[in-house]
């Protein structure tokens, strides 16, 4: 059994590609206390295990209140309002400044894309996506009300091969354009 953080698929995708069970729980079911936050509306931790039963056992242990430490839990828990900077966040930020070359090529590309979007479009796409959440939630709720189970593939594509150990961001970008 393992615990994963899933902001963009980091529980579901590896689980789907490795043949294990991974579950991204309902927002707020599992406290996010102690995990590194990326974005309030995406942050989620969940179980990864060999079987559904094992994943359910781990989820049972993880789920529930953390006595108000995670202000994202929606059960009316009392917590300080606003963004909370943790020691882990400070250490990660310092590591990014001093050891950026240790990041994977994919992480570097994601950071460059994120910086470009922020510099050129500010929060335009984030705001648009945030506004669409409510419409998409309603459409999903209507669709799910008509079925008992929804079975879908975890990911629409197969895993990419690992890049060579010495691959640079520039050579990776050239390879993707080819």
């Amino acid at each position: 059994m393992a615990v994963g953080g899933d902001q963009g698929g980091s529980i579901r995708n590896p689980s789907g590609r490795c043949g294990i069970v991974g579950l991204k729980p309902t927002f707020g079911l599992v406290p996010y206390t102690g995990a590194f936050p990326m974005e309030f509306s995406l942050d989620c931790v969940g179980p990864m295990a060999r079987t559904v039963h094992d994943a359910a056992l781990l989820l049972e242990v993880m789920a529930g209140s953390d006595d108000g430490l995670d202000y994202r839990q929606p059960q009316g828990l009392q917590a300080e309002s606003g963004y909370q900077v943790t020691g882990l966040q400070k250490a990660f930020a310092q590591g990014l400044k001093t050891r950026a070359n240790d990041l994977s090529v994919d992480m570097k590309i994601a950071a460059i894309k994120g910086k470009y979007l922020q510099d050129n479009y500010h929060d335009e796409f984030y705001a648009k996506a945030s506004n669409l959440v409510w419409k998409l939630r309603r459409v999903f709720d209507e669709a799910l009300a008509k079925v008992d189970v929804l079975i879908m593939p975890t990911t629409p594509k197969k895993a990419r091969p690992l890049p060579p150990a010495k691959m640079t961001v520039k050579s990776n970008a050239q390879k993707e354009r080819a």
Side-chain angles (χ1 to χ4, degrees):
M1 293 184 207
V3 174
D6 194 324
Q7 289 83 5
S10 297
I11 293 172
R12 297 160 291 155
N13 289 332
S15 297
R17 292 178 176 147
C18 294
I20 63 172
V21 175
L23 175 69
K24 180 178 180 180
T26 301
F27 184 81
L29 178 65
V30 175
Y32 205 72
T33 311
F36 184 79
M38 290 182 67
E39 206 296 310
F40 170 80
S41 66
L42 300 176
D43 293 342
C44 184
V45 292
M48 299 167 75
R50 191 170 297 194
T51 67
V52 170
H53 182 260
D54 289 344
L57 289 174
L58 184 53
L59 179 62
E60 188 174 319
V61 172
M62 298 170 64
S65 172
D66 65 355
D67 296 325
L69 294 174
D70 185 351
Y71 61 94
R72 293 164 281 208
Q73 285 194 296
Q75 291 101 339
L77 301 173
Q78 299 297 315
E80 294 179 30
S81 62
Y83 187 69
Q84 300 174 8
V85 177
T86 66
L88 179 59
Q89 285 175 284
K90 290 177 185 173
F92 186 78
Q94 184 61 31
L96 286 178
K97 291 177 186 172
T98 60
R99 299 185 56 148
N101 287 333
D102 290 345
L103 294 172
S104 69
V105 171
D106 285 345
M107 184 63 128
K108 290 176 186 176
I109 290 171
I112 290 168
K113 288 177 180 178
K115 176 82 171 122
Y116 174 83
L117 288 171
Q118 183 62 38
D119 289 350
N120 292 283
Y121 299 97
H122 309 288
D123 289 328
E124 179 180 339
F125 295 115
Y126 178 80
K128 184 178 261 187
S130 295
N131 289 334
L132 289 173
V133 164
W134 303 108
K135 180 178 181 180
L136 290 172
R137 181 173 287 165
R138 188 178 69 251
V139 170
F140 271 91
D141 287 346
E142 289 170 4
L144 293 172
K146 300 173 187 174
V147 298
D148 293 326
V149 176
L150 182 64
I151 300 174
M152 300 170 39
T154 303
T155 179
K157 54 188 173 186
K158 63 183 182 179
R160 295 181 294 173
L162 292 173
K166 299 293 182 183
M167 179 172 268
T168 65
V169 172
K170 184 177 180 179
S171 65
N172 187 56
Q174 290 170 342
K175 179 182 170 191
E176 285 186 2
R177 275 190 245 128

